[in-house]
C-alpha cells in the first residue's frame, strides 16, 4: 500500500565505496531483478523532497533479488545519497527497469567500452555478450590504479581486457579511445563496439570507430523527469531526428548521435544545480570532508570515475 | 415550498457568482483561483434548478450523474444525501466540480440555460465534494468480495473511475502507477491553483477506503508485462489507462535549445516535483523572464499561468488560429486574460533563435490567416507570405498536444491503431482477452471527465466479461432498462437492504 511504502521504501542491502566519489548500492527489488536486462536504467528518488535522477543499472542478481547501482557523487542528490545511503537504509522511490534493453545480437566479436560512470553499466552488457557466445574485448578507463574496481568481474566475462589509466599506473596510459584503437589494430573482424560513459567519451569512441565503419552503440543519459516518455526533457538528436532517450533509447547508434547537442542540453540546469549543491553543503549538519572542486563536472570534460 | 412548482420566473434569475482571488494577487501565488461557494450561495443556486422532467443535464454528463437528484438534496439541506447521490456515479466530485468543462456538458444543455444563465452545476458539485472532504464523508457500500482480482494500469482519472466501480462490485483491485504518487494527470498536470493536490489526495484516500490498493513506482510493461499480469500474477481482468503523455514538438529548427520545453515537463516539474518550492524541493526549473507558450488548449493555459506564478515578467500565448478556435475552456482563457497573459492570435513560430550559447533568445514567427475549414471543421490557418518577424523570449513552451505513450506498445502484444493508440472496440475491449483500455491511450488527449466516463464504461464491460451483475441493474434499474421491476418486485415496494450482488 502507498502508506507503508512511504515508510519503508526500498532497502539498501549493500554499500561499497570504490573511491571518495564512486560508490555502489545494492537495492532489494526482486521484481526488478527479474525484469532487468542489460542497458536499462532506473529512476531514483532519495526522499520525498528529492529529484528524480536516472541511473543505469550496473548489475542485477535474480537469485538474491537485488539490483546494483554504481553512482558518482557529482551533484547535490548524488552527494546526499553518498552521505545518507547506508546498508539498511531505504530509498524513497526507485522505478524501472526503463528503456529498451540493449540488443544483444549475433555479433561474434564485440568491444565493450566503459569509462567514468560507464564502467559499471557496461559490465552486464559484456556478460550478456559472453553468454551469447561472442568474443568479448573489454576496455575500461580509470584515473589511476587505486580507483579501479570490478577488474575480477570483467576478467571473468571478457576474453581480453584492456585497462586504460590516465597516469599509466595500470594497463595502458591514456583514454579509452587508445584502448579501442589497440583492439581494432589487433582484431580486424570486430562486429560491434558498445560504449558507455560521459558524453564526450562516447563521442570519442564513435569517432574512433567511424573510419573503420564498426557499428558503435552508445547509451545516452540526458536530464529526465519521469523516464516514461511523458516530459520530453530527455530529447536527443539522432540522425537528424528527435528521439526521447527514455523510451526510444537509451541505446542509439553512436555514429548518428549529435553529441554536442546532448552536451549543451546537459548544461540546462547548471546554475540551479550549483545553487542547490552550495546551499545543501552550507546547511548540512553533518561534517563533510572538504571537497576539492565545488563546481559540477562540465559535460564537455571527461570525468573519470573510479 | 417544496411542493410549489418552480418556473423560470420564480427561480433566482441571476446565476450565483463565485468569489475568486483578485487577478493581481493570484498571479503571484499558487492558491486556488476560485474560492468556491459558501452554504448560502449553494442553497441559492440549488433553487435555480427547475427539476425539469426532461433532465438534459444527466445526458450531457459523460458519467451520467443524477444532477437534479443531488441538487434537490442540497435544497432539502440533506448534504450527505447529495454527496451519496453524486458518488453513486462519480467518485471524485471535488475534482470534477473543478476541472470539468461544464459549459459544453451538463450546463451546456441545462433547460434554465435556454432563457437565463444555466444552473452552476459544477460549482454545486464542487461545494458538495469539498464539504465531504471537510466532514470526512465517504460513500462506502457493503462490499462482498467475489474473488476476482482486477489490475488497473495508470492511476489517472480513467484508472481511478474503473478501479472504484470494480472495487464496489467486490473485486480485489490493485492500481499501478509509474510515478511515486498516485493521481496521474490530476497530480502532475493540473496546477494547484485549479486543483490543489490535497484535494486529489483526499479523493484517492476515499478509494483506499474502498479497499483499492495503490502500487506506485511500478512501470507496467517494463517491470512486468500485461501478459505476465494475466498468466503469472493471477489477474482476471485488466484495465489500461496510461494516458497519451508523449509530448509533440513542431519539428522546427532550434527545438533542442536550452529554454525550450514541453508543457508536460514544465507542469510536472512544478506540480508534482514541487520545483516551485525549490530549493526546499530538489527538482530545478529554470525560470524564464519572458515565456512564450505555443498552443491555446487547457494545457497551454495552465503552462502560461504557472509561468506567471513562477515569476515571469511577460507570458505570451502564441496560437496559429484565433480565440474562437482556441480549444481551451472559455473560463480558462478569461482567467488567463485577467492575469495579464498576452495573446498573439494568428501567429506561428517557424524557428527558435539562440544567443550563440544554445540558450533561447527568441523566435521567428509568421502571421497566419484563416482559410478553408479543415477536417476538424475549424478554418485552416494559412501563413501570410513575407510576414515573418522576430519575437523576444527566453523560454519557449510547447503545448501543442501529445501522442500515444509507446511503452505498452513496445512491450505487450496490443493491437495499436496507426497513430500508436491502443485499438479498442465499442466496449473498450482490446485485442488481448480480458484486457480493457480507455481514456487518452485509446482516444487521444481529452478531458478528465471523458477519461472517467471511459473508465466507468470499461468497468461495465469488465463486469460483463467476468460475469458480474452490473450494480446499475440492481440500484438503478430504470436506467439499466429494468422496466420498473427488480427481481419481480415493484420498485415502489423497495424496502430491502442494500446488498451486493456479484
Amino acid at each position: 500500500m502507498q502508506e507503508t511504502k512511504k515508510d519503508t521504501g526500498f532497502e539498501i542491502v549493500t554499500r561499497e565505496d570504490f573511491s571518495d566519489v564512486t560508490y555502489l548500492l545494492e537495492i532489494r527489488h526482486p521484481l526488478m531483478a527479474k525484469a532487468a536486462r542489460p542497458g536499462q536504467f532506473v529512476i531514483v528518488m532519495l526522499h520525498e523532497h528529492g529529484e528524480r535522477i536516472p541511473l543505469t543499472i550496473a548489475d542485477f542478481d535474480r537469485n538474491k533479488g537485488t539490483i546494483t547501482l554504481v553512482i558518482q557523487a557529482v551533484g547535490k542528490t548524488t552527494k546526499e545519497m553518498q552521505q545518507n545511503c547506508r546498508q539498511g537504509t531505504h530509498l524513497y522511490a526507485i522505478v524501472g527497469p526503463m528503456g529498451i534493453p540493449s540488443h544483444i545480437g549475433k555479433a561474434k566479436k564485440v568491444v565493450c567500452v566503459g569509462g567514468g560512470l560507464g564502467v559499471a553499466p557496461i559490465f552486464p552488457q559484456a556478460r550478456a555478450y559472453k553468454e551469447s557466445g561472442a568474443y568479448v574485448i573489454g576496455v575500461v578507463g580509470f584515473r589511476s590504479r587505486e580507483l579501479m574496481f570490478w577488474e575480477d568481474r570483467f576478467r571473468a566475462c571478457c576474453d581480453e581486457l584492456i585497462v586504460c589509466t590516465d597516469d599509466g599506473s595500470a594497463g595502458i596510459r591514456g583514454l579509452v579511445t587508445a584502448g579501442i584503437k589497440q583492439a581494432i589494430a589487433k582484431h580486424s573482424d570486430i562486429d560491434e563496439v558498445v560504449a558507455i560513459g560521459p558524453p564526450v567519451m562516447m563521442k570519442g569512441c564513435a569517432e574512433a570507430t567511424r573510419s573503420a565503419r564498426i557499428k558503435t552503440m552508445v547509451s545516452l543519459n540526458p536530464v529526465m523527469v519521469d523516464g516514461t516518455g511523458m516530459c520530453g526533457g530527455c530529447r536527443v538528436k539522432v540522425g537528424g531526428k528527435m528521439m526521447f532517450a527514455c523510451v526510444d533509447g537509451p541505446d542509439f547508434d553512436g555514429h548518428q548521435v549529435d553529441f554536442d547537442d546532448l552536451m549543451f542540453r546537459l548544461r540546462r540546469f547548471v546554475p540551479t544545480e550549483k545553487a542547490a549543491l552550495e546551499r545543501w553543503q552550507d546547511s548540512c549538519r553533518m561534517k563533510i570532508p572538504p571537497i576539492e572542486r565545488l563546481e559540477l563536472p562540465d559535460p564537455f570534460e571527461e570525468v573519470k570515475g573510479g | 415550498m417544496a411542493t410549489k412548482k418552480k418556473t423560470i420566473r420564480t427561480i433566482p434569475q441571476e446565476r450565483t457568482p463565485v468569489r475568486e482571488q483578485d487577478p493581481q494577487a493570484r498571479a503571484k501565488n499558487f492558491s486556488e483561483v476560485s474560492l468556491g461557494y459558501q452554504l448560502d450561495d449553494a442553497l441559492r443556486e440549488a433553487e435555480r434548478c427547475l427539476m425539469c422532467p426532461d433532465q438534459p443535464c444527466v445526458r450531457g454528463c459523460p458519467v451520467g450523474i443524477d444532477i437534479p437528484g443531488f441538487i434537490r438534496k442540497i435544497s432539502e439541506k440533506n448534504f450527505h444525501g447529495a454527496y451519496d447521490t453524486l458518488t453513486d456515479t462519480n467518485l471524485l466530485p471535488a475534482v470534477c466540480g473543478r476541472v470539468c468543462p461544464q459549459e459544453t456538458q451538463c450546463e451546456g444543455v441545462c433547460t434554465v440555460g435556454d432563457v437565463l444563465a444555466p444552473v452552476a452545476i459544477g460549482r454545486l458539485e464542487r461545494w458538495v465534494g469539498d464539504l465531504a472532504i471537510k466532514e470526512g464523508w465517504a460513500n462506502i457500500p457493503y462490499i462482498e468480495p467475489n474473488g476476482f482480482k482486477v489490475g488497473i494500469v495508470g492511476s489517472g482519472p480513467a484508472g481511478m473511475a474503473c478501479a472504484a466501480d470494480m472495487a464496489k462490485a467486490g473485486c480485489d483491485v490493485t492500481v499501478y502507477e509509474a510515478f511515486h504518487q498516485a493521481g496521474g494527470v490530476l497530480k502532475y498536470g493540473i496546477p494547484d491553483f485549479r486543483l490543489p493536490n490535497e484535494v486529489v489526495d483526499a479523493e484517492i484516500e476515499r478509494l483506499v477506503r474502498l479497499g483499492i490498493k495503490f502500487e506506485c513506482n511500478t512501470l507496467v510493461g517494463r517491470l512486468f508485462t500485461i501478459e505476465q499480469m494475466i498468466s503469472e500474477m493471477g489477474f482476471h481482468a485488466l484495465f489500461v489507462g496510461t494516458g497519451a503523455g508523449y509530448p509533440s514538438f513542431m519539428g522546427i529548427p532550434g527545438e533542442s535549445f536550452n529554454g525550450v520545453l514541453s508543457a508536460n515537463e514544465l507542469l510536472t516539474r512544478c506540480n508534482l516535483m514541487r520545483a516551485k518550492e525549490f530549493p526546499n524541493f530538489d527538482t530545478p526549473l529554470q525560470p524564464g523572464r519572458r515565456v512564450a507558450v505555443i498552443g491555446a488548449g487547457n494545457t497551454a493555459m495552465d503552462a502560461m499561468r504557472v509561468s506567471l506564478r513562477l515569476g515571469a515578467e511577460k507570458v505570451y500565448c502564441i496560437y496559429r488560429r484565433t480565440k474562437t478556435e482556441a480549444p481551451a475552456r472559455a473560463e480558462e482563457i478569461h482567467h488567463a486574460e485577467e492575469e495579464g497573459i498576452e495573446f498573439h492570435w494568428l501567429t506561428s513560430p517557424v524557428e527558435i533563435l539562440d544567443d550563440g550559447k544554445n540558450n533561447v533568445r527568441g523566435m521567428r514567427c509568421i502571421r497566419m490567416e484563416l482559410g478553408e475549414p479543415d477536417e476538424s471543421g475549424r478554418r485552416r490557418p494559412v501563413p501570410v507570405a513575407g510576414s515573418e518577424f522576430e519575437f523576444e523570449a527566453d523560454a519557449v513552451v510547447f503545448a501543442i498536444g501529445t501522442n500515444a505513450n509507446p511503452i505498452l506498445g513496445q512491450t505487450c502484444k496490443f493491437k495499436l491503431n496507426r497513430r500508436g493508440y491502443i485499438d479498442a472496440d465499442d466496449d473498450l475491449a482490446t485485442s488481448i482477452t480480458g484486457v480493457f483500455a480507455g481514456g487518452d491511450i485509446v482516444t487521444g488527449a481529452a478531458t478528465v471527465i471523458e477519461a472517467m466516463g471511459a473508465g466507468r464504461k470499461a468497468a461495465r464491460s469488465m463486469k460483463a466479461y467476468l460475469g458480474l451483475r452490473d450494480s446499475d441493474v440492481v440500484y438503478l434499474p430504470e436506467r439499466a432498462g429494468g422496466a420498473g421491476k427488480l427481481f419481480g418486485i415493484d420498485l415502489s415496494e423497495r424496502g430491502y437492504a442494500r446488498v451486493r450482488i456479484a
Side-chain angles (χ1 to χ4, degrees), chain B residues 68-324:
Chain B
F70 96 83
I71 295 182
R72 183 193 305 273
K73 286 185 174 148
I74 295 179
S75 290
E76 292 165 357
K77 299 200 178 162
N78 176 4
F79 305 132
H80 201 310
Y83 175 73
D84 285 344
T85 305
L86 265 174
T87 45
D88 277 344
T89 38
N90 177 6
L91 249 285
L92 314 170
V95 171
C96 292
R98 285 175 168 85
V99 300
C100 273
Q102 289 99 5
E103 66 278 5
T104 59
Q105 296 173 346
C106 51
E107 295 180 15
V109 291
C110 174
T111 310
V112 176
D114 293 344
V115 183
L116 308 169
V119 178
I121 300 166
R123 292 170 186 174
L124 288 172
E125 182 185 19
R126 173 185 162 180
W127 179 76
V128 174
D130 284 354
L131 186 68
I133 291 174
K134 209 172 92 197
E135 301 286 337
W137 296 336
N139 183 2
I140 298 176
Y142 171 72
I143 295 173
E144 181 72 36
N146 61 22
F148 285 120
K149 209 173 147 190
V150 169
I152 310 278
V153 185
S155 68
M160 280 197 226
C162 187
D165 278 7
M166 296 316 288
K168 282 185 180 173
C171 300
D172 173 12
V173 181
T174 309
V175 181
Y176 293 99
E177 165 61 43
F179 265 126
H180 51 284
Q181 288 179 19
V185 72
L186 305 176
K187 269 282 180 61
Y188 75 75
I190 302 177
D192 277 6
F193 54 85
R194 282 216 292 137
L195 175 64
N197 276 357
E198 301 81 71
V199 172
V200 183
D201 286 333
E203 301 275 37
I204 289 172
E205 201 266 329
R206 251 26 108 56
L207 300 183
V208 173
R209 279 159 74 180
L210 273 180
I212 298 168
K213 295 184 281 284
F214 283 88
E215 291 283 351
C216 295
N217 298 308
T218 308
L219 182 61
V220 176
R222 291 279 172 213
L223 191 59
F224 42 78
T225 61
I226 295 289
E227 287 83 354
Q228 281 177 301
M229 289 174 85
I230 292 172
S231 61
E232 297 169 22
M233 296 166 70
F235 285 102
H236 297 99
L238 297 175
F239 173 74
V240 177
T242 49
Y246 187 94
S248 304
F249 289 85
M250 289 177 75
I252 59 175
E255 282 177 353
S256 58
F257 291 146
N258 292 336
V260 181
L261 66 172
S262 70
N264 265 1
E265 182 176 358
L266 172 77
L267 294 172
T268 306
R269 283 180 182 274
C270 180
N271 301 336
L272 179 74
M273 306 307 298
R274 302 297 235 214
K276 62 185 182 201
E277 291 162 55
F278 181 86
N280 186 19
F281 281 73
D282 289 340
T283 302
L285 185 54
Q286 211 86 72
R289 279 200 308 116
R290 285 161 321 213
V291 183
V293 178
I294 322 291
N298 288 317
T299 309
M301 297 302 143
D302 286 345
M304 288 172 218
R305 297 170 68 195
V306 158
S307 301
L308 204 62
R309 285 158 173 80
L310 289 169
E313 289 161 19
K314 272 276 173 206
V315 181
Y316 312 103
C317 172
I318 311 288
Y319 185 53
R320 58 198 180 125
R321 304 181 207 242
T322 71
K323 188 173 174 180
T324 326

Side-chain angles (χ1 to χ4, degrees), chain A residues 5 35 45 49 52 76 93 97 99 226 228-231 233 235 242 244 247-248 261 264-265 268-269 279, chain B residues 180 215 217 222-223 245-247 255-256 258 260 262 264-265 268-269 279-282 286 358 405 410:
Chain A
K5 199 153 252 178
M45 262 178 101
H49 287 208
R52 296 169 66 90
K76 191 236 167 182
D226 59 298
T228 61
M230 202 204 71
C231 78
R235 55 193 193 274
M242 185 198 290
F244 289 2
V247 289
D248 300 322
D261 181 74
F264 273 118
R265 287 191 59 75
R268 254 177 97 188
F269 292 108
R279 185 180 171 276
Chain B
H180 51 284
E215 291 283 351
N217 298 308
R222 291 279 172 213
L223 191 59
Y246 187 94
E255 282 177 353
S256 58
N258 292 336
V260 181
S262 70
N264 265 1
E265 182 176 358
T268 306
R269 283 180 182 274
N280 186 19
F281 281 73
D282 289 340
Q286 211 86 72
N358 276 44
N405 191 296
Q410 284 169 350

Side-chain angles (χ1 to χ4, degrees), chain A residues 113-163:
Chain A
V113 190
L117 53 139
V119 174
I122 198 71
F123 167 70
Q125 306 232 27
R127 185 176 57 187
Y129 270 113
K130 185 70 203 164
E131 282 165 4
S132 81
Y135 184 91
V136 180
I137 305 160
V139 178
V140 289
F142 297 97
R143 269 206 312 263
S144 65
R145 170 182 284 282
E146 298 82 66
L147 302 172
M148 277 177 66
F149 63 90
W150 282 12
E151 194 188 349
D152 50 334
R153 288 202 193 193
F154 277 100
R155 292 242 180 255
C157 70
C158 294
D159 296 282
E160 275 176 52
L161 182 67
I162 302 169
V163 177

